[in-house]
Amino acid sequence: MKHLLEVHHLNVVFRSREKELQAVRDVSFHVNERETLAIVGESGSGKSVTARAIMGMLPSPYGRIKGGEIHFQQRNITQLSKKDMQKIRGSEIGMVFQDPMSSLNPTMIIGEQISEGLRQHQKLSRSAARDKTVELLKLVGIPDAANRYKQYPHEFSGGMRQRVSIAIALACNPKLLIADEPTTALDVTIQAQILDMLTALQEQMGSSILLITHDLGVVAEVAQRVAVMYAGMIVETGTVEDIFDRPKHPYTWGLLQSTPKLDANSQERLIPIEGTPPSLHASIAGCPFAARCPYAMNVCVEHLPASISFTEQHSARCWLNDPRSPALHTPAVFRRDKRSPALHTPAVFRRDNDAEAYS
Ligand code: SF4
């Protein structure tokens, strides 16, 4: 499958009071044509910063790409001038933000906000842009589109505003749509409608979606592949089936165990992940999850684990997957075959192994 977007060893830093804050650390992933990749993680894990780095929208002058490359359609877009990046943004890469009220201009009518991009990127005349805008409003499910064209954002409900944001992002048929928590500010029924609409439009337009979310329920519904981020790093990546059925990283286990299931028969108790993520100011020598991980060994605190691949698509950064690790048992709750008798405490709870052996 052809890669539309490739991110190689991306590092993003913010300058704060003479200190450098490492928001994204050595992040690599790709998005295939016509697929949805979800980046999932807690607040502050670096997922939105990664999205903004791809869009060339890091807050200036504090945020900058310190290392790595971002290739979009085989072109390294970190090398582009502001002007060239502006041409790509909105025409080839569209973005939907979490809060449509803050991404829409409250002083401009909705129709103008959509047609502005069409005139700028597709060089349409005013009347052609107007017709296309009305079509787009209909496409994203806005009733009475011709009259709604003339209204301001405050005259729309939250769900309708998010539909308008999606219409703006899709106006020029972008190859890639970056959706940053697109349903977080909406109630559950509207969330489902927006997700269904995004999936239908993706099929219709043949775009790829990079979905940023903290919600595993959303991931299961729309994504084909998932990258799990923690403290600025990708700690596990795989297909939706890999992540939900065969997760290999304790942080992914924690996320899954703390996510409510909509299965009425489910008797499972939700187990929160204890503790908080490390400060982005801190320099972390070992695994960033070590302070919260019930499986942590000495080696985890001292040495950063390498990414280990299980299949072409599935990999994780955890010492438990190293062949020299004492043992590795995915907790039985995640095994497909629930009849498995091996419901014992993994040997990896042992903390007395020798860190030197892994260096
Ligand atoms: Fe836990 Fe160690 Fe794996 Fe990090 S490397 S997730 S601390 S077991």
Side-chain angles (χ1 to χ4, degrees):
M1 216 177 281
K2 217 168 157 192
H3 296 176
L4 179 70
L5 177 80
E6 289 179 6
V7 175
H8 298 285
H9 306 289
L10 181 69
N11 283 284
V12 178
V13 294
F14 287 90
R15 209 184 62 232
S16 125
R17 291 202 205 115
E18 307 307 315
K19 279 190 177 172
E20 230 175 41
L21 193 147
Q22 181 96 30
V24 173
R25 304 163 195 251
D26 194 26
V27 159
S28 298
F29 64 89
H30 68 268
V31 181
N32 292 318
E33 283 184 348
R34 305 177 82 100
E35 82 162 349
T36 298
L37 172 77
I39 300 187
V40 67
E42 289 166 283
S43 299
S45 59
K47 48 194 197 312
S48 293
V49 177
T50 303
R52 284 182 173 269
I54 296 167
M55 290 295 280
M57 289 172 64
L58 288 171
S60 174
Y62 305 105
R64 70 183 173 95
I65 293 177
K66 194 180 181 183
E69 294 182 356
I70 300 169
H71 292 252
F72 176 68
Q73 294 184 309
Q74 276 79 53
R75 205 153 54 126
N76 184 0
I77 56 174
T78 57
Q79 304 287 322
L80 296 182
S81 65
K82 272 192 180 165
K83 201 172 160 205
D84 287 341
M85 196 59 215
Q86 214 158 6
K87 278 187 204 152
I88 289 187
R89 212 166 33 224
S91 61
E92 293 179 63
I93 306 179
M95 185 147 184
V96 179
F97 295 92
Q98 177 178 341
D99 179 6
M101 198 56 196
S102 59
S103 62
L104 295 174
N105 182 342
T107 66
M108 234 174 134
I109 59 169
I110 290 293
E112 283 295 323
Q113 298 193 46
I114 302 173
S115 58
E116 193 182 39
L118 290 167
R119 293 209 305 274
Q120 188 185 336
H121 294 295
Q122 297 197 341
K123 309 292 176 220
L124 295 186
S125 67
R126 188 169 280 276
S127 70
R130 190 185 191 288
D131 293 346
K132 177 96 191 275
T133 299
V134 173
E135 251 176 59
L136 277 163
L137 287 172
K138 285 183 190 159
L139 188 71
V140 296
I142 305 275
D144 194 15
N147 284 322
R148 289 293 212 163
Y149 180 101
K150 295 172 258 173
Q151 292 184 322
Y152 289 91
H154 72 267
E155 295 176 83
F156 284 62
S157 66
M160 287 293 172
R161 282 196 290 264
Q162 195 55 301
R163 286 172 189 268
V164 171
S165 302
I166 292 169
I168 293 173
L170 293 176
C172 299
N173 270 356
K175 292 267 182 323
L176 176 67
L177 181 69
I178 299 180
D180 187 0
E181 304 273 9
T183 56
T184 303
L186 307 173
D187 69 50
V188 184
T189 47
I190 307 295
Q191 273 186 19
Q193 290 173 11
I194 296 285
L195 290 174
D196 286 349
M197 188 188 73
L198 267 180
T199 316
L201 289 175
Q202 178 191 23
E203 266 173 37
Q204 202 174 324
M205 298 179 148
S207 327
S208 303
I209 298 180
L210 177 61
L211 177 70
I212 310 292
T213 183
H214 64 277
D215 187 338
L216 283 171
V218 170
V219 171
E221 196 157 322
V222 300
Q224 284 88 51
R225 287 190 308 116
V226 186
V228 181
M229 270 190 98
Y230 185 78
M233 276 182 196
I234 289 184
V235 294
E236 181 162 7
T237 183
T239 62
V240 167
E241 292 76 22
D242 291 330
I243 298 299
F244 282 84
D245 297 340
R246 304 174 280 277
K248 295 285 190 187
H249 195 285
Y251 179 61
T252 315
W253 298 345
L255 282 182
L256 289 164
Q257 284 176 322
S258 58
T259 301
K261 296 177 186 63
L262 288 177
D263 173 2
N265 299 321
S266 176
Q267 301 290 313
E268 283 167 31
R269 211 162 45 90
L270 295 184
I271 305 170
I273 304 173
E274 299 290 342
T276 52
S279 159
L280 297 181
H281 285 296
S283 69
I284 304 164
C287 169
F289 192 53
R292 304 172 77 187
C293 178
Y295 305 89
M297 304 173 278
N298 292 339
V299 63
C300 306
V301 182
E302 294 172 26
H303 301 286
L304 179 67
S307 179
I308 292 178
S309 298
F310 314 103
T311 64
E312 205 183 314
Q313 312 231 54
H314 190 193
S315 61
R317 258 181 192 266
C318 172
W319 281 116
L320 297 182
N321 301 299
D322 188 289
R324 293 162 293 177
S325 171
L328 170 65
H329 299 291
T330 303
V333 67
F334 298 120
R335 292 195 198 115
R336 262 182 191 285
D337 186 353
K338 297 286 192 315
R339 293 163 301 176
S340 167
L343 194 66
H344 58 275
T345 306
V348 290
F349 274 117
R350 282 189 235 133
R351 290 164 180 257
D352 56 353
N353 56 56
D354 182 3
E356 289 304 313
Y358 293 81
S359 54

